[in-house]
Amino acid sequence: MRSPVGNHELRQLEGSPEDLWNRGDALVKLGLTMDRTATALSEIADSDVCKSKGTDKLAEMAGEAADDLARAAVRYEDTGRVIRTYADALGTAKSWIRSNESSIERAERDYESAREARESAAGDLSSIETVWIWEDEPSRAELSAAESAAADAATAETSALAHRDELWSQFDHTFETWETAYEDAVGGIQKAMDSADNNDGFWEGLDNFLEVVGWVILALTVIALIIGAPLTGLLGAIIFGLTLLVVALNALKFFAGKGTLSDLLLSAVGLLPFGIGKILSKGAPALSAVIQNGRGVVTGVIRGGLPRWNLFRPTTWSAPLRWLGAPGRARAGLPAPGTFVSPMRTMVLGDARLVQVENFLGTMRSSPWGSAAPVQQFITQTQGALPALWKQGVNVGVWGASFGFDLVQNLEPVTGFAFEIPGANEVRIG
């Protein structure tokens, strides 16, 4: 059932005015307590006693806490007052609707009945006034009675309509007053947050996002350590992109005054494996080239061991076919290395694809042609192109430190331990 003018639904409003008022009052009292505490902390921060005792750090921390508490006090106290005001408006509206809801419903039903009675009386009057040729003229008494009944029904309808409209008008006013109070409350809470200038909803969401991304990077790093080509290049690009995103978001926090220089610098540490790894892997052989060239060397060895074709020696007649089939034998005897590799060797060589190169060289060494001089020479040359021992040591240090750093940072909420750069943790903007 809706009001005929305002089109507002006749219903009880949601929410408990008493609970809302109590919550708002609790916020006001909390804000006042915070304000008093902030004042006390400010006195500590400004006190010469702390400075004379050499507790400058205590004074500094007290000053920072006082500022945060003062902002929170404004937010909580103003929000509480807004909620109390809305609770009063909600209580007034609910009380009126509760007292008049049945009256409105009854007035609506009475009006509908009066309208139907008026339409029925008007129909009876029209029926009496309309005389067909086969009917007798109505008597004056019958016509007068029908006219009186129609007039009375019309009067009753007008009265019922006026009563109904009056109640609906009061309901519309009550509903719109509550609606305005609700909108004022929403605006008032937003104004309280703006006045306090400590609405960290966006930054809290950003911190949660960074936490999730941190775990994603860690998981992808583990996968990149054990999966070789062709996924390792794609995983590296994804990890690099996510790491850049983390650095950019930490830069956003720092320049907005929501993060420290330590946070920004530590996030940039995640880029080191990519830069150092690229430098250390420069000149390393590509897996596809190693497989192709290695099979080519074995193909040459197979062909070199075939006897020269001789018409008068039947045992040599198959030599041309064996010569043509040499690439197939080399391919079959030297399959491509498996996708999964040792994560420890990946740390040592710096790239899962280089571990696959190493595995392919091992396959060549243990193959039937492994003792052939060209194969031995190819293995030695390719092995020499892999990262040297000192590069392997750097790789282990960079990958191990990076992985351990990410793990410790992600577990900070549980362990409470986090890396810090001395001096940079206090550097912030704003």
Side-chain angles (χ1 to χ4, degrees):
M1 187 177 293
R2 292 182 173 274
S3 60
V5 176
N7 196 35
H8 299 126
E9 182 183 2
L10 180 63
R11 59 179 175 85
Q12 271 297 334
L13 303 177
E14 297 179 359
S16 169
E18 294 79 10
D19 290 346
L20 281 173
W21 201 94
N22 290 335
R23 292 178 184 179
D25 191 56
L27 289 176
V28 171
K29 292 178 179 177
L30 178 61
L32 293 174
T33 301
M34 287 181 171
D35 186 63
R36 289 193 295 269
T37 305
T39 300
L41 288 173
S42 296
E43 293 174 354
I44 293 175
D46 297 336
S47 173
D48 293 334
V49 175
C50 289
K51 297 178 182 178
S52 64
K53 295 292 184 179
T55 54
D56 294 341
K57 186 63 177 179
L58 173 62
E60 180 184 348
M61 293 174 62
E64 292 177 355
D67 182 64
D68 291 339
L69 272 177
R71 292 172 183 269
V74 172
R75 177 173 177 175
Y76 283 108
E77 185 178 351
D78 290 358
T79 298
R81 295 186 187 282
V82 168
I83 292 176
R84 288 195 312 192
T85 300
Y86 171 70
D88 290 338
L90 177 63
T92 300
K94 292 193 71 166
S95 177
W96 190 94
I97 293 174
R98 184 169 52 250
S99 300
N100 295 275
E101 184 176 10
S102 58
S103 297
I104 294 175
E105 292 174 343
R106 185 168 55 253
E108 186 67 41
R109 291 194 299 269
D110 290 346
Y111 165 68
E112 290 296 328
S113 297
R115 184 177 59 81
E116 293 174 359
R118 190 265 307 161
E119 291 175 350
S120 177
D124 292 342
L125 177 60
S126 177
S127 178
I128 291 177
E129 290 177 338
T130 303
V131 180
W132 300 95
I133 57 175
W134 59 82
E135 294 180 331
D136 295 332
E137 289 286 340
S139 64
R140 184 59 192 169
E142 291 175 335
L143 184 59
S144 178
E147 291 174 344
S148 178
D152 291 344
T155 301
E157 179 191 22
T158 301
S159 177
L161 177 62
H163 179 59
R164 184 205 72 161
D165 287 349
E166 174 62 23
L167 289 176
W168 274 122
S169 176
Q170 294 177 18
F171 171 75
D172 282 341
H173 175 73
T174 300
F175 191 94
E176 289 166 0
T177 300
W178 162 79
E179 202 169 41
T180 300
Y182 178 81
E183 294 173 353
D184 289 345
V186 173
I189 293 174
Q190 183 61 53
K191 183 178 180 180
M193 291 189 292
D194 293 341
S195 299
D197 192 26
N198 68 345
N199 181 21
D200 292 330
F202 169 78
W203 302 108
E204 292 171 357
L206 181 59
D207 287 338
N208 293 334
F209 175 77
L210 286 173
E211 181 179 352
V212 172
V213 172
W215 282 108
V216 171
I217 291 176
L218 189 64
L220 292 179
T221 301
V222 173
I223 295 174
L225 287 174
I226 61 177
I227 294 183
L231 290 180
T232 185
L234 176 61
L235 288 175
I238 294 175
I239 296 172
F240 180 68
L242 289 176
T243 305
L244 278 179
L245 176 62
V246 170
V247 174
L249 293 178
N250 275 284
L252 176 64
K253 288 179 58 180
F254 174 69
F255 290 110
K258 301 297 182 180
T260 66
L261 181 60
S262 179
D263 297 330
L264 177 57
L265 294 179
L266 288 175
S267 66
V269 171
L271 295 174
L272 291 179
F274 298 96
I276 296 177
K278 187 174 182 180
I279 294 174
L280 296 180
S281 63
K282 188 175 182 180
L287 175 62
S288 59
V290 171
I291 294 177
Q292 182 179 357
N293 294 336
R295 288 172 176 171
V297 170
V298 170
T299 298
V301 171
I302 294 174
R303 288 173 173 172
L306 295 176
R308 184 181 298 274
W309 184 83
N310 191 319
L311 178 63
F312 301 102
R313 295 179 61 188
T315 56
T316 65
W317 291 354
S318 63
L321 294 178
R322 293 163 64 187
W323 190 92
L324 292 174
R329 288 186 61 193
R331 178 180 294 274
L334 300 176
T339 301
F340 296 97
V341 299
S342 166
M344 294 305 299
R345 293 304 299 169
T346 300
M347 284 190 178
V348 170
L349 296 178
D351 194 325
R353 288 169 292 191
L354 296 184
V355 182
Q356 289 180 304
V357 169
E358 192 176 62
N359 293 342
F360 183 79
L361 295 179
T363 301
M364 289 187 68
R365 190 178 290 110
S366 60
S367 71
W369 314 282
S371 58
V375 174
Q376 288 289 329
Q377 182 181 5
F378 177 83
I379 292 175
T380 302
Q381 290 178 346
T382 306
Q383 193 76 47
L386 293 177
L389 287 178
W390 72 269
K391 290 183 178 180
Q392 294 179 14
V394 175
N395 281 331
V396 171
V398 171
W399 275 90
S402 177
F403 182 83
F405 170 79
D406 288 342
L407 185 61
V408 170
Q409 289 294 95
N410 288 334
L411 291 177
E412 178 185 354
V414 178
T415 63
F417 176 80
F419 289 109
E420 291 185 1
I421 299 177
N425 203 41
E426 286 75 33
V427 179
R428 62 172 66 237
I429 295 178

